[in-house]
Amino acid sequence: MITMSLERRFTQFLIASTVLAILATAFTAAVSVNWHVRHQQSSALADYMSERGLREDAFFNTVADSQNAAMQTFNEYVEGLTEAEIQTGLDTYFPLQENGARRGTDELFEGVFIPGYGRVYGIAALGSSTHEWTPARERTFYSAFLTIARHGVAMNDTHESLWFMSPLDDLIIFAPNRPDRLEYYRHEAPHDFSATSIGIGDVSEPDVNPEGRTRCTPLMSAAYDQTGETLVTGCQTPLRQFGGGQVGIFGTTMFVNEVFQAAFDSLPNMDSDIYFISAEGQLIAHHDIDETIDVRPALMREMEERIDPEELLETFQNTSSGSDVFFRNPEHFASEAIAFYHLEIPDWYLVISIPEQTLLYASLNQLVPIFIMSLTVGACVIIGMTIFVRRVALKPLGILTRSLHAPAGATGDMDHQIDELTERRDEIGQLASTLADFRNRTEAYTSKLEDTVAQRTEKLRRLSEAKSTFLATMSHELRTPMNGILGVSGALNRTDLTTEQSEMVELIQQSTQMLERQLSDVLDVSKVEAGKLELIRNPTNLASCVTELCDFHRHTARERGLDLNLNFDVSAHGYFLADEVRIRQVLNNLITNAIKFTSEGSVTIDVSGGEYLDVTRQVVSFKVTDTGVGMNAESLAQIFEPYAQPTKNVAETNRGTGLGLTISKSLVELMKGEIMARSHPGHGSVFAFEIPLVRCQTQNPSLTPVSEEAEALADHLSSTRVLLAEDHPVNQRVVQLILKPLGVDVEIVENGQDAVEAYKNGSYDVILMDMRMPVMDGLVATRQIREIESNENRGHTPILVLSANAMPEHCDQSMMAGADMHVGKPLTPERLIDAVREGLELKAEGSGASERSSSQRA
């Protein structure tokens, strides 16, 4: 019976010692410090904004004063210039063009000395052809030019430009430092260019600005940028006659990075934001883009989404004063602080914001000492609680845990400690009693489970052996008829045939070889699952390999109305040390699928060499692209899984087993490569893989055509005696059809016992031995023949095992039995002739044959 709950002890100690005191102290301190930091930051920001706002007001007052001074100078030139001076100046520096326009000469920008006025530079001018050149217009144009030349130089240190624009679309601008060198106005602008039509002077129109005061524009597209992507602003002052008519506008263009640079210097702290907002809620400038000359609309929209100037403007306009400080989210513990100042001349708002992180850090700096004190107290409480919990609970639980993990009969001294724990009147005592009972039951169950596992392991071993036997049997039984097809077609191909007949025989051979490859795929699945798949690397010409594979599929593609294209880059030419069979297998799977799931269009194969991993290793890329039905994302994610089908929108006749891509992925990974797929429904698919291959200079002799060589050896094979041990009539006939035309004498027996008897009673140059036969199999017969050779001191007779058992372990069994070669079925004439020839060479070598008995043919 439990007299006092362990949970109750822990709860009382925890509540009394730590939680309430620490939480209460931390909450009170956080609220107090946060209020103090807000008040402190608000006061400092208000003082800073007042000083900065006055400085910015002074800047815009300077702009207004400069433009007013220019207007006074303009009036002096208008009244003082003679007609002769005006006409001479216009003809010299602004010649009238055939289209009726006047455009400033290049020397006005590059620099020219004008008598009586000094050196003039950095100026471009354009008088539109849309209006007649009256004496009044000419006087206004030339007077404005002299004014710009005089005042532009004086303002060059403080302002980017000074320009004059008239209602008659005359434009004169001084901007010597502009990157585009005013090319647009000097050469590119059309002769009928209209500055008034694009809204440059809208803020100076009499109905908008009746007092004729200096005003600044919102961000707008620069006139010289025809894409409309460059945004600028500026301030301008209208020039009017006494009657109210507007003569023109003096203005100054402002680029964000130059004009507002001074405003962006010496911020309250490194994390502050400073920017300008117009009275219409448009962002004018921001210090994050002060390094950018061409401010693009997309960049400004991105800034506006982050700042939300319209929301801020509503708060500004609801404030009675022109300057104030407020918190954007006052209900939050850490809120962004914002200060603003209204600039009179441009009717803009200068805004400085301190992010919430800064206020949070300031609060934390003051909270740290308080938290350290609280944590110290808490640490003392935790130490006391740890000692208590360890004595009351953790140590007993450790004893119980060790006893539970100890092997049966190995608890030793812990038995006495466990007995003491079972006498406790709390949860630990109850747990100790329960675990003791559980341990006894577990030991009995474990013993029973081990017996069951041993039985099932033995069952799985027998199943694995049965599976291996089944695969070997299927390989043998399927390769036997294929051997007949391939051998007979090969023999037929050596007879006199028409070109069309030869092509048909070639297709039969290629199809049979592909069928053999499909059989190998089934075996490969088993090898992949067992981790026994091995690569056989030989010097390989990738160009020949891929070209032959494409030629094989070209007929199928043509029947489906598809174009089959091969792009083999020169970077992948040459020989590589590679497993050609496996590369063909992967590429064949990809091409077959591409043709299968494409009803119109094309299938394209791209092969190219990539980067070198070292001196000889190069990454080679293979890509198969089709214009077929494509796949959705769900199918694409499962495409390399076993039995996965790429799409449900194809006929059942087009479906395969779903193993091809799984095997391909395993083979690519075995070759240390990667395979990938991209696809969209209705837009085709792309399958690609990359593998690292070693370049080599040696050509693989096995890749050299041997048919002509075999024919040349026909005379040497004449009168050769061959003993064939083969129980299958088709295979017997295949060997006869291949060897008899060459003059080879073929004697046939149907089992291993007959082969041994024939060897005892006769003499043969070569023995061809099937592996699986009735009465006595080929391996036993081979061993007995070798025993006879040894006992009777006969010369060495080459034994070539011809078998549909083509797995590596079968080759090893043949060599161990005493065979000289293992030739896998199906047979081709070239392969069989080559094998017989090498067997004769082995016989000629005599005693050296044993050293070469490890050679294999597959």
Side-chain angles (χ1 to χ4, degrees), residues 32-98:
S32 176
V33 168
N34 183 256
W35 180 89
H36 175 72
V37 169
R38 288 196 181 197
H39 178 73
Q40 187 180 45
Q41 292 283 357
S42 178
S43 299
L45 196 56
D47 294 340
Y48 177 85
M49 178 55 77
S50 177
E51 183 275 333
R52 179 52 61 91
L54 292 174
R55 188 191 309 175
E56 294 304 314
D57 266 339
F59 169 78
F60 287 103
N61 287 330
T62 301
V63 174
D65 293 342
S66 299
Q67 294 176 359
N68 287 326
M71 287 192 294
Q72 293 179 3
T73 302
F74 173 81
N75 290 330
E76 293 175 2
Y77 281 128
V78 169
E79 295 176 0
L81 289 173
T82 65
E83 293 297 331
E85 289 176 324
I86 294 172
Q87 198 61 46
T88 301
L90 290 176
D91 293 342
T92 302
Y93 304 110
F94 309 96
L96 185 64
Q97 300 177 356
E98 295 181 358

Coordinates of all heavy atoms in Angstrom, one line a residue, residues 32-98:
S32 N 8.5 46.3 -16.6 CA 9.1 47.6 -16.1 C 10.2 48.0 -17.1 O 10.3 49.2 -17.5 CB 9.7 47.4 -14.7 OG 10.3 48.5 -14.3
V33 N 11.1 47.1 -17.4 CA 12.2 47.5 -18.3 C 11.7 47.9 -19.7 O 12.2 48.8 -20.3 CB 13.2 46.3 -18.4 CG1 14.2 46.5 -19.5 CG2 13.9 46.1 -17.1
N34 N 10.7 47.2 -20.2 CA 10.2 47.5 -21.5 C 9.6 48.9 -21.6 O 9.8 49.6 -22.5 CB 9.1 46.4 -22.0 CG 8.6 46.7 -23.4 OD1 7.5 47.1 -23.5 ND2 9.4 46.3 -24.3
W35 N 8.8 49.3 -20.6 CA 8.3 50.6 -20.5 C 9.4 51.7 -20.5 O 9.3 52.7 -21.2 CB 7.4 50.8 -19.3 CG 6.7 52.1 -19.2 CD1 5.6 52.5 -19.7 CD2 7.3 53.3 -18.5 NE1 5.3 53.9 -19.5 CE2 6.4 54.3 -18.7 CE3 8.5 53.5 -17.8 CZ2 6.6 55.6 -18.2 CZ3 8.7 54.8 -17.3 CH2 7.8 55.8 -17.5
H36 N 10.4 51.4 -19.7 CA 11.5 52.4 -19.6 C 12.2 52.5 -20.9 O 12.6 53.6 -21.4 CB 12.5 51.9 -18.5 CG 13.7 52.7 -18.4 ND1 13.7 54.0 -17.9 CD2 15.0 52.5 -18.8 CE1 14.9 54.5 -17.9 NE2 15.7 53.6 -18.5
V37 N 12.5 51.4 -21.6 CA 13.2 51.4 -22.9 C 12.4 52.2 -23.9 O 12.9 53.0 -24.7 CB 13.5 50.0 -23.4 CG1 14.0 50.0 -24.8 CG2 14.6 49.4 -22.5
R38 N 11.1 52.0 -24.0 CA 10.2 52.7 -24.9 C 10.3 54.2 -24.7 O 10.4 55.0 -25.7 CB 8.8 52.2 -24.8 CG 8.6 50.8 -25.4 CD 7.1 50.5 -25.6 NE 6.8 49.2 -26.1 CZ 5.7 48.8 -26.7 NH1 4.7 49.6 -26.8 NH2 5.5 47.6 -27.1
H39 N 10.2 54.6 -23.5 CA 10.2 56.0 -23.2 C 11.5 56.6 -23.5 O 11.6 57.7 -24.1 CB 9.9 56.2 -21.7 CG 9.9 57.6 -21.2 ND1 8.9 58.5 -21.6 CD2 10.9 58.3 -20.5 CE1 9.3 59.7 -21.1 NE2 10.4 59.6 -20.5
Q40 N 12.6 55.9 -23.2 CA 13.9 56.4 -23.5 C 14.1 56.5 -25.1 O 14.6 57.6 -25.5 CB 14.9 55.5 -22.9 CG 16.4 55.9 -23.0 CD 17.3 54.9 -22.4 OE1 17.2 53.7 -22.6 NE2 18.2 55.4 -21.6
Q41 N 13.8 55.5 -25.8 CA 13.9 55.5 -27.2 C 13.1 56.6 -27.9 O 13.5 57.2 -28.8 CB 13.6 54.1 -27.8 CG 14.6 53.0 -27.4 CD 15.9 53.1 -28.2 OE1 16.0 54.0 -29.1 NE2 16.8 52.3 -27.9
S42 N 11.8 56.7 -27.4 CA 10.9 57.7 -28.0 C 11.5 59.1 -27.8 O 11.4 59.9 -28.8 CB 9.5 57.6 -27.3 OG 8.7 58.5 -27.8
S43 N 12.0 59.5 -26.6 CA 12.5 60.8 -26.4 C 13.7 61.1 -27.3 O 13.9 62.1 -27.9 CB 12.9 61.0 -24.9 OG 11.8 60.8 -24.1
A44 N 14.7 60.1 -27.3 CA 15.9 60.3 -28.1 C 15.5 60.4 -29.6 O 16.1 61.2 -30.4 CB 16.8 59.1 -27.9
L45 N 14.6 59.6 -30.1 CA 14.2 59.7 -31.5 C 13.5 61.0 -31.9 O 13.7 61.5 -33.0 CB 13.3 58.5 -31.8 CG 13.1 58.1 -33.3 CD1 14.4 57.9 -34.0 CD2 12.2 56.9 -33.5
A46 N 12.7 61.5 -31.0 CA 12.1 62.8 -31.2 C 13.1 63.9 -31.4 O 13.0 64.8 -32.3 CB 11.1 63.1 -30.1
D47 N 14.1 64.0 -30.5 CA 15.1 65.0 -30.6 C 15.9 64.8 -31.9 O 16.2 65.8 -32.6 CB 16.1 64.9 -29.4 CG 15.4 65.2 -28.1 OD1 14.3 65.9 -28.1 OD2 15.9 64.8 -27.0
Y48 N 16.2 63.6 -32.2 CA 17.0 63.4 -33.4 C 16.2 63.8 -34.7 O 16.8 64.4 -35.6 CB 17.4 61.9 -33.5 CG 18.1 61.6 -34.8 CD1 19.5 61.7 -34.9 CD2 17.5 61.1 -35.9 CE1 20.2 61.4 -36.0 CE2 18.1 60.8 -37.1 CZ 19.5 60.9 -37.1 OH 20.2 60.6 -38.3
M49 N 14.9 63.4 -34.7 CA 14.1 63.7 -35.9 C 13.9 65.2 -36.1 O 13.9 65.8 -37.2 CB 12.8 63.0 -35.8 CG 11.8 63.3 -37.0 SD 12.6 63.0 -38.6 CE 12.4 61.2 -38.6
S50 N 13.8 66.0 -35.0 CA 13.6 67.4 -35.1 C 14.9 68.1 -35.7 O 14.8 68.9 -36.6 CB 13.4 68.0 -33.7 OG 13.3 69.4 -33.7
E51 N 16.1 67.6 -35.3 CA 17.3 68.2 -35.9 C 17.4 67.8 -37.4 O 17.8 68.6 -38.2 CB 18.5 67.7 -35.1 CG 19.8 68.2 -35.5 CD 20.5 67.5 -36.6 OE1 20.2 66.2 -36.7 OE2 21.2 68.0 -37.4
R52 N 17.2 66.5 -37.7 CA 17.3 66.0 -39.0 C 16.3 66.7 -40.0 O 16.6 67.0 -41.1 CB 17.2 64.5 -39.1 CG 17.3 63.9 -40.4 CD 18.6 64.3 -41.2 NE 19.8 63.9 -40.5 CZ 20.4 62.8 -40.7 NH1 19.9 61.9 -41.5 NH2 21.5 62.5 -40.0
G53 N 15.1 66.9 -39.5 CA 14.0 67.5 -40.3 C 14.4 68.9 -40.7 O 14.2 69.4 -41.8
L54 N 14.9 69.7 -39.7 CA 15.3 71.0 -40.0 C 16.5 71.0 -41.1 O 16.5 71.9 -42.0 CB 15.8 71.7 -38.8 CG 14.7 72.0 -37.7 CD1 15.3 72.6 -36.4 CD2 13.7 73.0 -38.3
R55 N 17.3 70.1 -41.0 CA 18.4 70.0 -42.0 C 17.9 69.7 -43.4 O 18.3 70.3 -44.4 CB 19.4 68.9 -41.6 CG 20.7 68.9 -42.4 CD 21.5 67.7 -42.2 NE 21.7 67.4 -40.8 CZ 22.4 66.4 -40.3 NH1 22.8 65.4 -41.1 NH2 22.5 66.2 -39.0
E56 N 16.9 68.8 -43.5 CA 16.3 68.5 -44.8 C 15.5 69.7 -45.3 O 15.5 70.0 -46.5 CB 15.5 67.3 -44.7 CG 16.2 66.0 -44.4 CD 17.3 65.8 -45.4 OE1 17.1 65.9 -46.6 OE2 18.5 65.4 -44.9
D57 N 14.8 70.4 -44.5 CA 14.1 71.6 -44.9 C 15.1 72.6 -45.5 O 14.8 73.3 -46.5 CB 13.4 72.2 -43.7 CG 11.9 71.7 -43.7 OD1 11.4 71.3 -44.7 OD2 11.3 71.8 -42.6
A58 N 16.2 72.7 -44.9 CA 17.2 73.7 -45.3 C 17.7 73.3 -46.7 O 18.0 74.1 -47.6 CB 18.4 73.7 -44.4
F59 N 17.9 72.0 -47.0 CA 18.3 71.5 -48.3 C 17.3 71.9 -49.4 O 17.7 72.5 -50.4 CB 18.5 70.0 -48.3 CG 18.7 69.4 -49.6 CD1 19.9 69.5 -50.3 CD2 17.6 68.8 -50.3 CE1 20.1 68.9 -51.5 CE2 17.8 68.2 -51.6 CZ 19.0 68.3 -52.2
F60 N 16.0 71.7 -49.1 CA 15.0 72.0 -50.2 C 14.9 73.5 -50.3 O 14.5 74.0 -51.4 CB 13.7 71.4 -49.8 CG 13.7 69.9 -50.0 CD1 13.8 69.0 -49.0 CD2 13.6 69.4 -51.3 CE1 13.8 67.6 -49.2 CE2 13.6 68.0 -51.6 CZ 13.7 67.1 -50.5
N61 N 15.1 74.3 -49.2 CA 15.1 75.7 -49.3 C 16.2 76.2 -50.2 O 16.1 77.2 -51.0 CB 15.2 76.4 -48.0 CG 13.9 76.3 -47.1 OD1 12.8 76.2 -47.7 ND2 14.1 76.2 -45.8
T62 N 17.4 75.5 -50.2 CA 18.5 75.9 -51.0 C 18.1 75.6 -52.5 O 18.5 76.4 -53.4 CB 19.7 75.0 -50.7 OG1 20.1 75.2 -49.3 CG2 20.9 75.3 -51.5
V63 N 17.4 74.5 -52.8 CA 17.0 74.2 -54.1 C 16.1 75.3 -54.6 O 16.2 75.8 -55.7 CB 16.3 72.9 -54.2 CG1 15.7 72.6 -55.6 CG2 17.2 71.7 -53.8
A64 N 15.1 75.7 -53.8 CA 14.2 76.8 -54.2 C 14.9 78.1 -54.4 O 14.6 78.8 -55.4 CB 13.1 76.9 -53.1
D65 N 15.9 78.4 -53.6 CA 16.6 79.7 -53.7 C 17.4 79.7 -55.0 O 17.5 80.7 -55.7 CB 17.5 79.9 -52.5 CG 16.8 80.1 -51.2 OD1 15.6 80.5 -51.3 OD2 17.4 80.0 -50.1
S66 N 18.0 78.5 -55.3 CA 18.8 78.4 -56.6 C 18.0 78.6 -57.8 O 18.3 79.3 -58.7 CB 19.5 77.1 -56.6 OG 20.4 76.9 -55.5
Q67 N 16.8 78.1 -57.8 CA 15.9 78.2 -58.9 C 15.3 79.6 -59.0 O 15.1 80.2 -60.1 CB 14.8 77.2 -58.9 CG 15.3 75.7 -59.0 CD 14.2 74.7 -58.8 OE1 13.1 75.0 -58.6 NE2 14.6 73.4 -58.9
N68 N 15.0 80.3 -57.9 CA 14.6 81.7 -57.9 C 15.7 82.6 -58.5 O 15.4 83.5 -59.2 CB 14.1 82.1 -56.5 CG 12.8 81.4 -56.1 OD1 11.9 81.2 -57.0 ND2 12.7 81.1 -54.8
A69 N 16.9 82.3 -58.1 CA 18.0 83.1 -58.6 C 18.2 82.9 -60.1 O 18.4 83.9 -60.8 CB 19.3 82.7 -57.9
A70 N 17.9 81.7 -60.6 CA 18.0 81.5 -62.0 C 16.9 82.2 -62.7 O 17.1 82.8 -63.8 CB 17.9 80.0 -62.3
M71 N 15.7 82.3 -62.1 CA 14.7 83.1 -62.8 C 15.0 84.6 -62.9 O 14.7 85.2 -63.9 CB 13.3 82.9 -62.0 CG 12.7 81.5 -62.2 SD 11.1 81.4 -61.6 CE 11.3 81.6 -59.8
Q72 N 15.6 85.1 -61.9 CA 16.0 86.5 -61.9 C 17.1 86.8 -63.1 O 17.0 87.7 -63.8 CB 16.6 87.0 -60.6 CG 15.6 87.0 -59.5 CD 16.2 87.4 -58.1 OE1 17.4 87.7 -58.1 NE2 15.4 87.3 -57.1
T73 N 18.0 85.8 -63.2 CA 19.0 86.0 -64.2 C 18.4 85.8 -65.6 O 18.7 86.6 -66.5 CB 20.1 84.9 -64.1 OG1 20.7 85.0 -62.8 CG2 21.2 85.0 -65.1
F74 N 17.4 85.0 -65.7 CA 16.7 84.8 -67.0 C 16.0 86.1 -67.4 O 16.1 86.5 -68.5 CB 15.7 83.7 -66.8 CG 14.7 83.5 -68.0 CD1 15.1 82.8 -69.1 CD2 13.5 84.1 -68.0 CE1 14.3 82.6 -70.2 CE2 12.6 83.9 -69.1 CZ 13.0 83.2 -70.2
N75 N 15.3 86.7 -66.5 CA 14.7 88.0 -66.8 C 15.7 89.0 -67.3 O 15.4 89.8 -68.2 CB 13.9 88.5 -65.6 CG 12.7 87.6 -65.3 OD1 12.1 87.0 -66.2 ND2 12.3 87.5 -64.0
E76 N 16.9 89.0 -66.7 CA 17.9 90.0 -67.1 C 18.3 89.7 -68.5 O 18.5 90.7 -69.3 CB 19.1 89.9 -66.1 CG 18.8 90.4 -64.7 CD 19.9 90.1 -63.8 OE1 21.0 89.6 -64.3 OE2 19.8 90.4 -62.6
Y77 N 18.5 88.4 -68.8 CA 18.9 88.1 -70.2 C 17.8 88.4 -71.2 O 18.0 88.9 -72.3 CB 19.3 86.6 -70.3 CG 20.7 86.3 -69.8 CD1 20.9 85.3 -68.9 CD2 21.8 87.1 -70.2 CE1 22.1 85.0 -68.4 CE2 23.0 86.8 -69.7 CZ 23.2 85.8 -68.8 OH 24.5 85.5 -68.3
V78 N 16.6 88.2 -70.8 CA 15.4 88.5 -71.7 C 15.4 89.9 -72.1 O 15.1 90.3 -73.2 CB 14.1 88.0 -71.1 CG1 12.9 88.5 -71.9 CG2 14.1 86.5 -71.1
E79 N 15.6 90.8 -71.1 CA 15.5 92.2 -71.3 C 16.8 92.8 -72.0 O 16.8 93.8 -72.7 CB 15.3 92.9 -70.0 CG 13.9 92.6 -69.4 CD 13.7 93.2 -68.0 OE1 14.7 93.9 -67.6 OE2 12.7 93.0 -67.4
G80 N 18.0 92.1 -71.7 CA 19.2 92.7 -72.2 C 19.8 92.2 -73.5 O 20.6 92.9 -74.1
L81 N 19.4 91.1 -73.9 CA 20.0 90.5 -75.2 C 19.5 91.2 -76.4 O 18.3 91.6 -76.5 CB 19.7 89.0 -75.3 CG 20.4 88.1 -74.3 CD1 19.9 86.7 -74.4 CD2 21.9 88.1 -74.6
T82 N 20.4 91.5 -77.4 CA 19.9 92.1 -78.7 C 19.5 90.9 -79.6 O 19.9 89.8 -79.4 CB 21.1 92.9 -79.3 OG1 22.2 92.0 -79.6 CG2 21.6 93.9 -78.3
E83 N 18.8 91.3 -80.6 CA 18.4 90.3 -81.6 C 19.6 89.7 -82.3 O 19.6 88.5 -82.6 CB 17.4 91.0 -82.7 CG 16.1 91.4 -82.1 CD 15.3 90.2 -81.6 OE1 15.4 89.1 -82.1 OE2 14.5 90.4 -80.7
A84 N 20.6 90.5 -82.6 CA 21.8 90.0 -83.3 C 22.5 89.0 -82.4 O 22.9 87.9 -82.9 CB 22.7 91.1 -83.6
E85 N 22.6 89.2 -81.1 CA 23.3 88.3 -80.2 C 22.5 86.9 -80.1 O 23.0 85.8 -80.2 CB 23.3 88.8 -78.8 CG 24.4 90.0 -78.6 CD 24.4 90.6 -77.3 OE1 23.3 90.7 -76.6 OE2 25.4 91.0 -76.8
I86 N 21.1 87.1 -80.1 CA 20.3 85.9 -80.0 C 20.4 85.1 -81.3 O 20.6 83.8 -81.3 CB 18.8 86.3 -79.8 CG1 18.7 86.9 -78.4 CG2 17.9 85.1 -79.9 CD1 17.3 87.5 -78.1
Q87 N 20.4 85.8 -82.5 CA 20.4 85.0 -83.7 C 21.8 84.4 -83.9 O 21.9 83.2 -84.4 CB 20.1 86.0 -84.9 CG 19.7 85.2 -86.1 CD 18.5 84.4 -85.9 OE1 17.5 84.8 -85.3 NE2 18.5 83.1 -86.4
T88 N 22.9 85.1 -83.6 CA 24.2 84.5 -83.7 C 24.4 83.3 -82.8 O 24.9 82.3 -83.2 CB 25.3 85.6 -83.4 OG1 25.1 86.7 -84.3 CG2 26.7 85.0 -83.6
G89 N 23.9 83.4 -81.6 CA 24.1 82.3 -80.7 C 23.3 81.1 -81.1 O 23.8 80.0 -81.0
L90 N 22.0 81.3 -81.6 CA 21.2 80.2 -82.0 C 21.9 79.5 -83.2 O 21.9 78.3 -83.3 CB 19.8 80.7 -82.4 CG 18.9 81.1 -81.2 CD1 17.6 81.6 -81.7 CD2 18.7 79.9 -80.2
D91 N 22.3 80.3 -84.2 CA 22.9 79.7 -85.4 C 24.2 79.0 -85.1 O 24.5 78.0 -85.8 CB 23.2 80.8 -86.5 CG 21.9 81.4 -87.0 OD1 20.8 80.8 -86.8 OD2 22.0 82.6 -87.5
T92 N 24.9 79.5 -84.1 CA 26.2 78.8 -83.8 C 26.1 77.6 -83.0 O 26.7 76.5 -83.3 CB 27.1 79.8 -83.0 OG1 27.3 81.0 -83.8 CG2 28.5 79.2 -82.7
Y93 N 25.2 77.6 -82.0 CA 25.2 76.5 -81.0 C 23.9 75.7 -81.1 O 23.8 74.6 -80.6 CB 25.3 77.0 -79.6 CG 26.6 77.8 -79.4 CD1 26.5 79.2 -79.2 CD2 27.8 77.2 -79.4 CE1 27.7 79.9 -79.0 CE2 29.0 77.9 -79.3 CZ 28.9 79.3 -79.1 OH 30.1 80.0 -78.9
F94 N 22.9 76.2 -81.8 CA 21.6 75.5 -82.0 C 21.1 75.7 -83.4 O 20.1 76.3 -83.7 CB 20.6 76.0 -81.0 CG 21.0 76.1 -79.6 CD1 21.6 77.3 -79.0 CD2 21.0 75.0 -78.7 CE1 22.0 77.4 -77.7 CE2 21.4 75.1 -77.4 CZ 22.0 76.3 -76.9
P95 N 21.9 75.2 -84.4 CA 21.5 75.4 -85.8 C 20.1 74.8 -86.1 O 19.7 73.7 -85.6 CB 22.6 74.7 -86.6 CG 23.1 73.7 -85.6 CD 23.0 74.3 -84.3
L96 N 19.3 75.5 -86.9 CA 18.0 75.1 -87.3 C 18.1 73.9 -88.3 O 18.8 74.0 -89.3 CB 17.2 76.2 -87.9 CG 15.8 75.9 -88.3 CD1 15.0 75.6 -87.0 CD2 15.2 77.1 -89.1
Q97 N 17.5 72.8 -87.9 CA 17.6 71.6 -88.8 C 16.4 71.6 -89.8 O 15.5 72.4 -89.7 CB 17.5 70.3 -87.9 CG 18.6 70.2 -86.9 CD 18.5 69.0 -86.0 OE1 17.5 68.3 -86.1 NE2 19.5 68.8 -85.1
E98 N 16.5 70.7 -90.8 CA 15.6 70.7 -91.9 C 14.2 70.3 -91.4 O 13.2 70.8 -91.9 CB 16.0 69.6 -92.9 CG 17.3 70.0 -93.7 CD 17.6 69.0 -94.7 OE1 16.9 68.0 -94.8 OE2 18.6 69.1 -95.4

